[in-house]
Amino acid sequence: MVVMAAKKACEIMSKSMFEEVQRWGCMKQTGVSLRYMMEFGSVPTERNLLIAAQFLHKELPIRIARRAIELETLPYGLSEKPAVLKVRDWYLDSFRDMRSFPEIKGTNDEKEFTQMIKAIKVRHNNVVPMMALGVQQLKKELGPKIVHEDLDEIHQFLDRFYMSRIGIRMLIGQHVELHNPNPPPHCVGYIHTKMSPVEVAQNASDDARAICLREYGSAPAVTIYGDPNFTFPYVPSHLQLMVFELVKNSLRAVQERHMDSDKVSPPVRIIVADGIEDVTIKVSDEGGGIARSGLPKIFTYLYSTARNPLDEDSDLGTGEAVIMAGYGYGLPISRLYARYFGGDLQIISMEGYGTDAYLHLSRLGDSQEPLP
């Protein structure tokens, strides 16, 4: 009898929970621009932090609810895959945490709220590899029947899903970081008001070369052209992730193409150009290029030229450091990071020679977040 009552309570809970998620998922999202985040956060007074927390208290449940609803309705039975169910539960738990938090009235409430959203961010750390696992579980099941056109719907869902995740993590991370009592110079939360793209490109290249050295025992040189003193406001961690991914791909292509040659491998070249509207970073390699027929595939989530490091039994306990390597998520996710603040990523290839990646970053910081 008790068991039945508990089961019934659970069902009622999930029904009212479901209705609540539906209700919030229908509300309008509010986007913020890089410039607004920078100007608002530059004076993190108690009053400003309170206003920001009140905004997030209403905004985050809307964004989280939308994703939870989408996770329930994916095509080809993707919603039923164990890994996807796990991700859905993370979203529902976070929605529940947000909704059960009382109205934020003073500084103590704000501090507690900040701890809670910090915990939500940690809970969602492994969403990307977990979703990749779900897609892989689906691919395994569909086997040779799989047609890339059919998976367009899944690809579009993942684009929306990951773009939304970038936004949620940016808003939470920015708010949490504004509480840092000793922020690094020129930093407003996650935003560096005087970021040197040449410096970030250098750091990202060093990291990518270290991985290449570890895997192959040697790594091509990376040459960077551009003014190291040129700076503009951006989120260094986003740029680091994008340049790291592009350089890593280039190094791998060059390394594999010139592996049996006695000559020194040609360097990967990075050019940083500052325009009026955009800062553009070009990563050029002589790694043999990609066939034109293969180009559309490089931005899908279901394609990777590297061996797949992600298996059912692999440990997902790692952070987000190098999980980008090898399951074909690096390029599409990098493009989302670029688009999040109004930029873009384009790949131009010359089969038989090499590949050029153009990373455009909007310099003005005025564009609103895309809100899928």
Side-chain angles (χ1 to χ4, degrees):
M1 188 68 199
V2 177
V3 175
M4 284 300 289
K7 188 163 185 277
K8 196 87 186 131
C10 179
E11 278 171 14
I12 292 164
M13 161 62 203
S14 56
K15 187 170 185 297
S16 67
M17 171 78 168
F18 177 73
E19 284 166 2
E20 178 90 334
V21 169
Q22 290 289 342
R23 196 166 67 81
W24 279 79
C26 294
M27 294 182 195
K28 190 175 180 304
Q29 305 175 93
T30 308
V32 278
S33 67
L34 179 68
R35 179 182 300 228
Y36 181 77
M37 283 188 224
M38 193 165 72
E39 287 172 359
F40 186 85
S42 59
V43 273
T45 56
E46 284 189 357
R47 182 175 176 274
N48 273 0
L49 290 171
L50 190 63
I51 292 168
Q54 287 163 344
F55 166 71
L56 293 177
H57 192 211
K58 184 166 188 322
E59 180 64 19
L60 291 173
I62 299 175
R63 297 193 186 193
I64 290 168
R66 287 191 170 217
R67 304 290 70 91
I69 293 166
E70 272 208 298
L71 283 165
E72 294 269 2
T73 54
L74 298 176
Y76 308 105
L78 183 57
S79 292
E80 278 76 65
K81 295 287 161 279
V84 179
L85 289 170
K86 200 169 199 170
V87 173
R88 186 206 62 186
D89 288 345
W90 289 340
Y91 274 77
L92 290 176
D93 288 347
S94 297
F95 179 80
R96 200 178 283 120
D97 289 352
M98 291 293 306
R99 288 297 300 129
S100 56
F101 197 91
E103 195 186 337
I104 302 165
K105 291 186 170 141
T107 299
N108 284 345
D109 297 350
E110 191 277 326
K111 286 197 166 68
E112 269 180 53
F113 176 77
T114 302
Q115 288 312 308
M116 181 202 57
I117 57 175
K118 199 174 175 177
I120 287 179
K121 187 166 181 273
V122 171
R123 173 187 289 144
H124 291 246
N125 272 353
N126 287 317
V127 161
V128 176
M130 197 54 86
M131 283 303 290
L133 192 58
V135 171
Q136 205 171 302
Q137 287 164 346
L138 179 73
K139 264 176 94 169
K140 212 176 249 177
E141 193 181 285
L142 293 179
K145 294 193 301 243
I146 209 155
V147 184
H148 274 284
E149 285 68 41
D150 280 355
L151 296 173
D152 225 23
E153 215 177 321
I154 288 177
H155 174 77
Q156 286 166 12
F157 155 73
L158 288 171
D159 258 354
R160 288 194 302 274
F161 184 74
Y162 291 138
M163 180 65 94
S164 174
R165 178 174 186 269
I166 291 169
I168 290 169
R169 293 182 83 74
M170 179 70 201
L171 291 180
I172 293 178
Q174 181 68 5
H175 187 77
V176 170
E177 190 51 40
L178 288 177
H179 289 74
N180 182 349
N182 306 305
H186 309 298
C187 284
V188 176
Y190 272 4
I191 304 161
H192 193 305
T193 59
K194 289 186 160 54
M195 183 195 73
S196 158
V198 168
E199 194 184 313
V200 175
Q202 186 64 64
N203 293 338
S205 303
D206 292 346
D207 290 355
R209 286 193 79 239
I211 285 176
C212 187
L213 277 165
R214 201 172 68 210
E215 277 202 20
Y216 297 102
S218 66
V222 177
T223 330
I224 301 178
Y225 303 89
D227 176 4
N229 297 315
F230 161 65
T231 67
F232 77 114
Y234 203 73
V235 179
S237 57
H238 288 190
L239 183 58
Q240 168 85 20
L241 181 146
M242 295 185 281
V243 177
F244 168 78
E245 183 58 36
L246 296 173
V247 173
K248 177 174 64 72
N249 289 348
S250 286
L251 291 172
R252 193 177 78 214
V254 171
Q255 196 62 35
E256 295 196 347
R257 185 177 195 212
H258 298 272
M259 204 141 30
D260 306 323
S261 159
D262 305 334
K263 296 194 195 80
V264 177
S265 297
V268 171
R269 292 187 178 85
I270 301 179
I271 299 159
V272 177
D274 54 312
I276 293 167
E277 278 184 29
D278 280 354
V279 174
T280 305
I281 297 173
K282 177 164 90 160
V283 179
S284 294
D285 69 60
E286 294 173 39
I290 304 161
R292 206 152 44 100
S293 61
L295 270 176
K297 281 192 202 150
I298 64 175
F299 283 112
T300 71
Y301 294 95
L302 306 146
Y303 168 84
S304 172
T305 52
R307 59 184 181 283
N308 203 323
L310 192 74
D311 277 312
E312 308 278 336
D313 50 19
S314 74
D315 172 32
L316 288 177
T318 51
E320 290 196 37
V322 191
I323 56 163
M324 308 296 288
Y327 50 78
Y329 276 39
L331 280 175
I333 283 191
S334 294
R335 184 165 70 175
L336 295 179
Y337 272 99
R339 288 177 174 173
Y340 177 67
F341 282 129
D344 209 356
L345 171 61
Q346 290 167 320
I347 307 281
I348 312 282
S349 197
M350 288 173 77
E351 191 187 7
Y353 180 75
T355 302
D356 287 350
Y358 291 86
L359 177 58
H360 302 281
L361 309 172
S362 170
R363 199 174 164 167
L364 308 171
D366 283 334
S367 70
Q368 292 285 336
E369 297 174 275
L371 295 173

